[in-house]
Amino acid sequence: MGKGKRLRKQGSKDRTTRGPRELAPEPSKASTRDDIGGGRLSSYARQELGKQVYAWMILLSYLECALDGPDGLPAGLLAPQKPDESDEDYTERIRTDRLVVETQAMASSPAEQVAEVLSSWVSRSMVHDVVGHLAGEGMRHLGTTAVDPDQWQAGARTLLGIMCPPRHWDAALDQLEALAVSRLEADTTITARLASEPIATVHSAAALVTWLYQQPGIVASPAEARSELAERASKFGRFVF
């Protein structure tokens, strides 16, 4: 059974026994460079490599949703308020969007996969580095290409709405805007928000990076890029799990 299927099966079992998924607990033992042996990595090296692998797994789930397409979700999910849309209509549309996403997240979906990665392996102390690795993947493709921050965040909003738990939407939209303006660089403001809104920040970074994969001028072959990312995750994941 593949790792994705195991995650989904375990997630289905766990949903009946625990509340909303957040982050993994902090490791009970501090990692060290001194416990290497038997051809294995030290716990410190394994933890540092793990942060990269977790970021890749999150991004792969986002790419699965973006490139394969979500089912049963409204077009324009989490879209900004339209000029001709009243406050009441906008509030009702967002309320409906929340209900749809919450229902879909209970299925074996990419959103559920991300929730499993975060709640199973990513502790609060790891989030900053996981976000950094997500940003690094984005910058590998973006390079010096100029991107309009408004277009970038607008393009990533629907995917963010699909993948991010609705209870984190408000904070995630703030981080989405800030990260688009900073070109994925975690400045002081973003880092401060990350401390209080770690899950929102992970989702914002992942959504922005995934949008880059959908731009032909930035990623010529999204399928090939996703395949290369999956190979890396599989190769290095053997040292982590």
Side-chain angles (χ1 to χ4, degrees):
M1 183 184 295
K3 189 178 282 92
K5 291 183 178 179
R6 289 201 302 273
L7 281 174
R8 294 175 186 181
K9 182 177 179 181
Q10 184 64 39
S12 177
K13 177 182 177 182
D14 289 349
R15 277 191 294 276
T16 62
T17 60
R18 71 185 185 192
R21 306 176 200 282
E22 294 292 342
L23 294 169
E26 295 294 337
S28 57
K29 292 176 59 179
S31 60
T32 174
R33 292 180 172 87
D34 300 327
D35 58 356
I36 190 169
R40 296 180 300 174
L41 295 175
S42 69
S43 60
Y44 175 83
R46 192 164 58 251
Q47 183 183 88
E48 293 304 301
L49 182 59
K51 295 172 186 177
Q52 284 188 303
V53 173
Y54 307 149
W56 297 338
M57 292 171 67
I58 290 168
L59 184 54
L60 284 167
S61 292
Y62 260 80
L63 289 169
E64 177 183 342
C65 181
L67 301 182
D68 296 343
D71 295 323
L73 290 170
L77 184 78
L78 200 59
Q81 186 172 0
K82 303 171 185 176
D84 60 348
E85 188 175 32
S86 68
D87 291 343
E88 292 78 8
D89 288 345
Y90 173 71
T91 299
E92 178 61 21
R93 175 165 62 81
I94 295 300
R95 187 189 72 83
T96 302
D97 285 353
R98 288 179 185 272
L99 291 173
V100 171
V101 170
E102 286 168 351
T103 300
Q104 193 239 29
M106 297 177 68
S108 297
S109 65
E112 178 70 7
Q113 294 170 28
V114 173
E116 288 294 335
V117 172
L118 290 171
S119 65
S120 298
W121 296 302
V122 180
S123 64
R124 181 175 288 271
S125 64
M126 296 181 184
V127 170
H128 186 278
D129 289 336
V130 169
V131 170
H133 289 306
L134 284 168
E137 286 300 312
M139 292 308 299
R140 285 180 65 241
H141 299 291
L142 183 59
T144 58
T145 302
V147 177
D148 177 17
D150 291 336
Q151 180 186 8
W152 195 358
Q153 62 178 300
R157 281 179 71 117
T158 294
L159 186 59
L160 180 72
I162 295 169
M163 298 291 288
C164 180
R167 63 184 175 276
H168 295 295
W169 275 358
D170 289 343
L173 288 172
D174 288 340
Q175 290 291 64
L176 192 77
E177 179 180 5
L179 284 165
V181 170
S182 72
R183 289 176 62 89
L184 299 174
E185 182 178 349
D187 59 21
T188 304
T189 301
I190 292 169
T191 300
R193 287 180 185 159
L194 187 154
S196 60
E197 298 289 350
I199 293 174
T201 307
V202 168
H203 280 282
S204 298
L208 287 169
V209 172
T210 302
W211 182 85
L212 297 177
Y213 279 75
Q214 298 173 284
Q215 310 311 306
I218 296 173
V219 179
S221 176
E224 288 184 12
R226 177 168 63 165
S227 178
E228 186 273 334
L229 181 64
E231 288 179 8
R232 267 190 285 145
S234 177
K235 177 181 178 180
F236 291 101
R238 298 190 188 108
F239 298 101
V240 176
F241 299 106

